[in-house]
Amino acid sequence: PFKTAEAVAQWGVDYIVLTSVDRDDIADGGSSHFATTVQLIKEHSGGNILVECLVSDFRGDLDAVETLANSGLDVYAHNVETVERLQKFVRDPRAGYKQSLSTLEHAKKVKTNRTERPLYTKTSLMLGLGETDEEVIQTMKDLRDIDVDVVTFGQYLRPTEHHLSVVEYVRPEKFEYFRQVGEELGFKYVASGPMVRSSYKAGEFFLEHLIKKERKMLEKDSGNDGILL
């Protein structure tokens, strides 16, 4: 965490995404390691760098979720990957649709209860695995029910012949349709396109400006000229 924070602070960036392989070999799934790294980045940058963490579901451990959510993190990202019906075919058997939703919901809930500064939640889905339009829209509704702020959609591409086959190459028009539906449902931002991925440069740029804008409004409303921690 110390070396990571020092390096990030020296890069001169305004927004950073931290992620890792799953660490099921660690009791808390690596949550405390992420949290320490976030805290140190904030300290080294004077709070000027916005931090997003793209993490696992921590095996449904809500205490681990809470540790990270209350670390000073700005964006809590966890990918549900696909619609509910296809979860067992696409994801590790230890993962699950409802378990993923529970972690995103808990991150938002515990952070909102402890500070005036909101924590943004974000998730991503791959399309082209055999999902229907109705299933994608229902997934968006489920995400909005737990107040997820940002969703991204991208085309699933088969990494090797040992992975799942592509069922459909989704047309750009369909991605645009899902973007429009998502915005109508109330997401703060929807990135939807064949080449979109969960860590999407345009999305990060938008989120950075959105967060700064909303925090300035919050400071103004609260009469606080300082930085909300």
Side-chain angles (χ1 to χ4, degrees):
F2 295 93
K3 291 184 178 180
T4 301
E6 289 176 359
V8 170
Q10 292 171 4
W11 290 343
V13 297
D14 298 316
Y15 192 107
I16 190 75
V17 180
L18 304 177
T19 190
S20 75
V21 297
D22 285 350
R23 290 303 305 268
D24 290 342
D25 56 314
I26 302 176
D28 68 353
S31 174
S32 58
H33 191 90
F34 270 104
T36 300
T37 306
V38 172
Q39 291 164 355
L40 289 170
I41 289 174
K42 293 293 184 179
E43 289 176 12
H44 278 74
S45 68
N48 292 321
I49 296 178
L50 297 177
V51 184
E52 172 184 330
C53 284
L54 173 59
V55 295
S56 71
D57 61 6
F58 296 122
R59 294 172 294 182
D61 183 351
L62 299 185
D63 288 336
V65 172
E66 188 165 345
T67 295
L68 179 55
N70 286 308
S71 66
L73 182 66
D74 300 291
V75 180
Y76 188 107
H78 168 66
N79 294 339
V80 298
E81 305 291 4
T82 187
V83 300
E84 186 170 16
R85 176 177 59 87
L86 298 176
Q87 293 278 317
K88 62 183 178 181
F89 305 108
V90 175
R91 303 179 70 192
D92 187 290
R94 293 167 294 182
Y97 186 74
K98 288 182 171 57
Q99 182 165 287
S100 286
L101 292 184
S102 72
T103 63
L104 288 164
E105 180 178 24
H106 194 67
K108 177 64 72 74
K109 185 182 297 181
V110 297
K111 183 64 176 181
T112 302
N113 288 343
R114 293 193 176 201
T115 179
E116 292 183 348
R117 192 187 74 172
L119 174 67
Y120 296 83
T121 48
K122 174 183 173 183
T123 196
S124 181
L125 284 88
M126 300 177 289
L127 303 184
L129 288 161
E131 68 287 332
T132 66
D133 290 4
E134 292 76 16
E135 287 174 322
V136 175
I137 292 171
Q138 183 58 55
T139 301
M140 284 194 276
K141 290 179 178 178
D142 293 341
L143 293 168
R144 285 303 300 138
D145 283 344
I146 58 171
D147 202 24
V148 169
D149 300 292
V150 178
V151 64
T152 69
F153 297 103
Q155 171 67 50
Y156 168 69
L157 298 174
R158 192 183 191 188
T160 72
E161 63 181 11
H162 302 295
H163 288 77
L164 291 172
S165 298
V166 176
V167 176
E168 176 188 8
Y169 288 101
V170 181
R171 295 181 63 82
E173 294 82 0
K174 183 66 68 176
F175 279 105
E176 175 61 16
Y177 168 68
F178 288 137
R179 183 192 65 79
Q180 293 175 1
V181 172
E183 291 181 351
E184 290 171 2
L185 288 172
F187 287 100
K188 292 182 182 295
Y189 181 66
V190 182
S192 184
M195 300 307 294
V196 169
R197 294 297 179 260
S198 58
S199 293
Y200 184 58
K201 186 63 178 176
E204 292 161 13
F205 180 79
F206 180 89
L207 260 178
E208 177 189 342
H209 287 271
L210 172 69
I211 293 171
K212 290 179 178 178
K213 178 181 177 181
E214 291 195 347
R215 286 184 181 167
K216 284 183 179 179
M217 293 174 60
L218 186 58
E219 291 171 14
K220 182 178 180 181
D221 291 342
S222 64
N224 181 6
D225 294 328
I227 298 175
L228 290 171
L229 301 176

